[in-house]
Amino acid sequence: MSVLNREALQELILQTDYTKKLVVTPLLSESQIGPGSIDIRLGSSIVIPRRTFVSSHDVTNPEQAQQVEKRLYDRCRLKYHSEFVLHPNQLILAVTLEYVSLPLEVFCQIASRSSWGRLGLVVATASVVQPGFKGCLTLELANLSDSPVSLYPGLLVGQLIFYEVKTTTKEATPYSGRYDCPTEAGLPQFFAKDLDKEMRFWGRSTD
Amino acid sequence: MNPEALYSSLIHIQALVEQLEASNSAHISWPLVSCCDHIWKQFFPKGEPHIFYSVMTEHNYGIGSFSSRLERLIEKVLPPSQINAILKGQEMYCLQLASLEDENLPLYAIIGHEFGHALYWAHHDKILNFLDKECGPTFKVIVAELGKSDPALVRKRATKTKWIIRGIATELFCDLIGFLISGPAFLLSLHEMTWGDDQSAWTARLTPTAANIRAYPSSRFRLHSLRKLERASSFEADACKLFKGLEKKLLPEMASYMSTIPTDHSQDRVEVSAISDPDNDRLVIEAAITRYLGDLKSAFERFASLCWNEFLSPEIKEKQFPPVSAEDVFQLLRRLEKDILPNIIPNNTLLGLPASFPAILNASAIYRIHVLSTGDPTSGADTIYREIQKVERLTAKAMEVSYIQGEFKNWEASQKP
């Protein structure tokens, strides 16, 4: 698995066949494409976790997991040119401005941009994007510093690093995830996949 | 002023205040507001009348003169000098948009119709001249018919009939403006909105004040009036050539979908209802309009033709609201069929060209109709619903990012020395 450099990325972006094309849109400036990555921006849709009466998030219990998904978050839409302050130790989910479509031969990872990282802003913890994924990416923004950080939609906060995937079969398996072409910041969806069902086993009630 | 009247006025003023309070970016789709504002400035470049945007509680869109409404309310509680000081003779409209726009996409293209109302009010003398010219002779015949039943009531009934004809003409005029702004997407969305409705009824609702009468032509006649515009047929001709390049099953056939929309209005009928009708005006007016409906239709067609050809200048039609490019729509459909955001027209550059709002609206409307009309019912309504939701998500995001892309480009250009 090798990292795709600028030339390889440009070639993939200029592809006319949409099944082979790498889409990261909108690109507002060509300089977003770096030597080995593409810079991405903060979008306008965010989700703010609500502090609640729940003692803890126990996601091995399906009923509690549903609470986590539906009741413990506030969904907001930020206006462009308007400030959003991320306070110390605060975590929010935010969508990228960019919509991404990965060909089946490309895998990608989200990383913080170094300057923001040095301010204490972490932009992604679940940083893997599977081959064939289509949609906007959800960033988990956390302020690990002691000072509040002002954020504005459109700011370049992260970067995508692309890798070529070696396929062994002629037709690679297309991405089939729990999020279908999302354009808003996504909430956690426990128990959406068969694999998640095993959490019942690991939790306190193993009935 | 007695306390009851004061209380009533204050309650109505409170409703107006709530409308103002809803005018914030928390619940309105701001890319849509930006688009609407751009359209407004094209129609009213001098900045008069003013407009602001608010959220509507219904799943719909509406426009009204906020200043007139405010004036009517405060004239009961304030002296004229204070009213003049508040309003300063300025006209201000409020365009109400449905909240949660992401889930209200089928109606996006319909917003154009609302601008038609503002344009009608701003130029009603000219438009009413067209109406008098084309519908005047038929109106006289209808008045003569009304006189046969009870001559003593003919004047009152003629006034009501006049407002019915005006109401219908207004709707037809607004449809033309909707089509001018949104292109074939307006026709498709209007068609989609009327699914399940009675498409052959011309309706009117009589009210005690004749000027408040609301009247609508039949859906089939509305669609027929738009379908025959040259812009509709030329888009379809171009689309038929281009859409062959689409891959998804039955998507190429959508190029000629507009021709398949039923527009036969020969079985149309008139339905007049009334809030309070002591003289039985409803039935008499209904019978008279029914008798001359054929003549009225011809007159309305000529009226619409005059509005399109003479009221809308070539400058407006070709420069401010040019026809939607079938090529652009094709490029966006190519993206939609692969679940890719329909926001860019490729031009062999890394950035591409941001798509226009009308192009996005049209690609989206065509794709929606494709999903709805070709969705496999055996796979369940849920599958079609999910697919429609996906199109709506992608379209809303495309409108947002293409707007931002345009704004950023303008800003970048302004930074160059």
Side-chain angles (χ1 to χ4, degrees):
Chain A
M1 198 156 70
S2 53
V3 174
L4 299 177
N5 70 359
R6 180 185 279 135
E7 288 68 32
L9 290 170
Q10 289 178 342
E11 199 176 304
L12 278 174
I13 289 171
L14 290 171
Q15 258 283 354
T16 52
D17 179 351
Y18 279 108
T19 54
K20 295 175 182 162
K21 185 179 175 75
L22 168 66
V23 177
V24 180
T25 186
L27 284 175
L28 301 187
S29 160
E30 288 187 14
S31 59
Q32 276 178 252
I33 307 171
S37 65
I38 297 180
D39 290 339
I40 52 169
R41 300 170 187 275
L42 182 63
S44 61
S45 157
I46 63 165
V47 172
I48 305 170
R50 206 184 292 158
R51 296 190 190 253
T52 69
F53 303 110
V54 179
S55 56
S56 70
H57 297 325
D58 183 356
V59 296
T60 64
N61 177 329
E63 285 76 36
Q64 276 207 28
Q66 275 184 352
Q67 273 199 339
V68 172
E69 289 160 22
K70 291 181 182 155
R71 294 185 51 200
L72 309 183
Y73 293 93
D74 286 318
R75 194 175 275 284
C76 303
R77 184 168 284 280
L78 301 177
K79 202 176 173 194
Y80 284 75
H81 314 296
S82 292
E83 183 184 35
F84 175 80
V85 179
L86 190 65
H87 289 276
N89 289 317
Q90 189 181 8
L91 169 81
I92 61 163
L93 307 179
V95 77
T96 55
L97 177 68
E98 293 81 6
Y99 184 93
V100 174
S101 169
L102 297 184
L104 292 172
E105 301 78 24
V106 176
F107 164 87
C108 140
Q109 274 189 311
I110 312 168
S112 300
R113 291 184 82 220
S114 57
S115 298
W116 284 109
R118 287 168 203 177
L119 267 185
L121 183 76
V122 176
V123 302
T125 48
S127 66
V128 171
V129 188
Q130 301 287 354
F133 173 84
K134 292 170 199 290
C136 296
L137 305 169
T138 293
L139 306 173
E140 296 91 22
L141 292 175
N143 181 358
L144 303 184
S145 78
D146 291 330
S147 311
V149 175
S150 293
L151 296 172
Y152 296 84
L155 287 180
L156 291 161
V157 290
Q159 54 189 323
L160 301 178
I161 301 151
F162 297 88
Y163 303 87
E164 189 179 19
V165 175
K166 268 196 178 158
T167 52
T168 51
T169 53
K170 277 184 185 172
E171 288 200 8
T173 316
Y175 170 83
S176 165
R178 56 190 92 187
Y179 308 104
D180 187 16
C181 302
T183 57
E184 305 278 315
L187 298 178
Q189 288 183 16
F190 293 102
F191 292 97
K193 277 187 145 185
D194 276 354
L195 191 63
D196 293 339
K197 287 179 185 160
E198 72 165 49
M199 284 197 289
R200 285 172 192 268
F201 173 78
W202 300 110
R204 270 181 292 191
S205 62
T206 54
D207 53 328
Chain B
M1 173 178 271
N2 66 41
E4 288 84 1
L6 178 63
Y7 181 77
S8 169
S9 285
L10 291 175
I11 288 287
H12 283 101
I13 289 171
Q14 181 58 33
L16 216 60
V17 170
E18 281 165 13
Q19 193 172 318
L20 268 178
E21 280 179 348
S23 170
N24 64 58
S25 59
H27 301 288
I28 299 181
S29 161
W30 62 263
L32 191 61
V33 166
S34 304
C35 171
C36 290
D37 221 37
H38 179 68
I39 293 169
W40 185 264
K41 282 171 188 157
Q42 284 182 291
F43 283 129
F44 303 104
K46 290 174 186 166
E48 281 276 353
H50 300 282
I51 190 167
F52 73 96
Y53 304 87
S54 181
V55 168
M56 195 177 211
T57 48
E58 297 162 40
H59 188 71
N60 207 338
Y61 299 100
I63 197 166
S65 171
F66 185 82
S67 45
S68 307
R69 200 172 146 203
L70 181 62
E71 188 175 7
R72 278 198 304 276
L73 288 174
I74 58 179
E75 70 186 2
K76 295 170 188 166
V77 287
L78 291 177
S81 59
Q82 285 192 34
I83 294 173
N84 289 339
I86 292 170
L87 296 173
K88 294 176 181 148
Q90 289 181 344
E91 178 102 68
M92 179 177 283
Y93 284 94
C94 175
L95 177 60
Q96 288 183 282
L97 309 169
S99 61
L100 299 170
E101 294 299 328
D102 297 359
E103 293 173 16
N104 203 20
L105 196 69
L107 300 174
Y108 268 170
I110 299 295
I111 298 175
H113 177 98
E114 304 304 330
F115 288 97
H117 284 290
L119 214 54
Y120 175 86
W121 291 321
H123 301 277
H124 69 281
D125 286 346
K126 190 172 182 182
I127 296 164
L128 286 179
N129 272 340
F130 289 153
L131 185 64
D132 284 345
K133 185 178 168 192
E134 299 303 339
C135 292
T138 310
F139 175 65
K140 280 180 189 159
V141 177
I142 292 174
V143 172
E145 181 75 15
L146 292 171
K148 287 179 189 169
S149 58
D150 188 342
L153 294 172
V154 69
R155 194 171 171 157
K156 182 182 76 161
R157 287 171 176 168
T159 305
K160 291 187 174 183
T161 306
K162 183 183 81 178
W163 282 99
I164 290 174
I165 290 173
R166 273 193 191 183
I168 290 167
T170 309
E171 294 302 317
L172 291 171
F173 173 79
C174 294
D175 283 352
L176 290 178
I177 303 303
F179 190 86
L180 174 79
I181 293 170
S182 307
F186 179 78
L187 196 151
L188 293 173
S189 299
L190 189 64
H191 164 58
E192 192 189 320
M193 278 179 69
T194 59
W195 285 356
D197 290 350
D198 181 348
Q199 303 205 349
S200 300
W202 293 59
T203 56
R205 187 164 175 77
L206 304 182
T207 51
T209 309
N212 292 337
I213 287 174
R214 294 280 172 270
Y216 299 90
S218 74
S219 304
R220 289 209 168 176
F221 188 76
R222 290 173 76 174
L223 292 166
H224 159 80
S225 304
L226 299 173
R227 179 70 193 83
K228 56 188 247 183
L229 290 171
E230 194 272 330
R231 275 189 185 203
S233 46
S234 61
F235 177 86
E236 193 168 291
D238 291 346
C240 283
K241 289 178 212 150
L242 290 160
F243 286 15
K244 286 175 186 159
L246 296 169
E247 290 174 24
K248 200 153 194 167
K249 195 181 166 193
L250 297 175
L251 192 52
E253 280 78 347
M254 297 311 293
S256 54
Y257 183 83
M258 277 195 295
S259 325
T260 66
I261 293 175
T263 55
D264 175 15
H265 51 88
S266 59
Q267 301 301 311
D268 280 3
R269 62 187 192 288
V270 181
E271 288 178 2
V272 180
S273 61
I275 294 173
S276 161
D277 193 18
D279 297 326
N280 220 2
D281 296 337
R282 183 183 76 80
L283 290 176
V284 177
I285 292 171
E286 186 177 287
I289 297 178
T290 300
R291 182 159 184 195
Y292 294 100
L293 186 60
D295 294 339
L296 267 179
K297 282 183 188 174
S298 305
F300 280 133
E301 284 192 55
R302 292 193 303 273
F303 162 75
S305 177
L306 266 182
C307 290
W308 184 263
N309 294 320
E310 292 190 22
F311 177 76
L312 297 172
S313 67
E315 165 86 10
I316 285 182
K317 281 186 287 197
E318 302 308 323
K319 289 190 180 162
Q320 290 176 282
F321 298 99
V324 178
S325 154
E327 169 69 35
D328 287 359
V329 174
F330 164 68
Q331 292 296 347
L332 298 182
L333 282 169
R334 279 191 70 215
R335 294 170 77 94
L336 269 175
E337 69 177 352
K338 299 286 184 201
D339 288 340
I340 292 171
L341 207 63
N343 65 319
I344 289 288
I345 309 298
N347 65 347
N348 291 324
T349 67
L350 292 167
L351 307 189
L353 292 171
S356 68
F357 271 45
I360 296 171
L361 275 183
N362 277 272
S364 168
I366 291 168
Y367 201 81
R368 272 182 64 84
I369 295 271
H370 170 258
V371 172
L372 289 169
S373 57
T374 62
D376 179 8
T378 56
S379 61
D382 276 359
T383 313
I384 297 172
Y385 177 69
R386 274 201 301 276
E387 195 63 21
I388 286 291
Q389 286 220 310
K390 184 162 65 183
V391 181
E392 297 193 357
R393 279 200 303 274
L394 294 180
T395 308
K397 179 79 180 181
M399 288 171 83
E400 177 182 337
V401 299
S402 93
Y403 172 77
I404 277 295
Q405 211 169 350
E407 290 283 289
F408 189 83
K409 219 172 166 182
N410 292 341
W411 174 80
E412 250 186 343
S414 73
Q415 300 299 302
K416 285 180 184 159

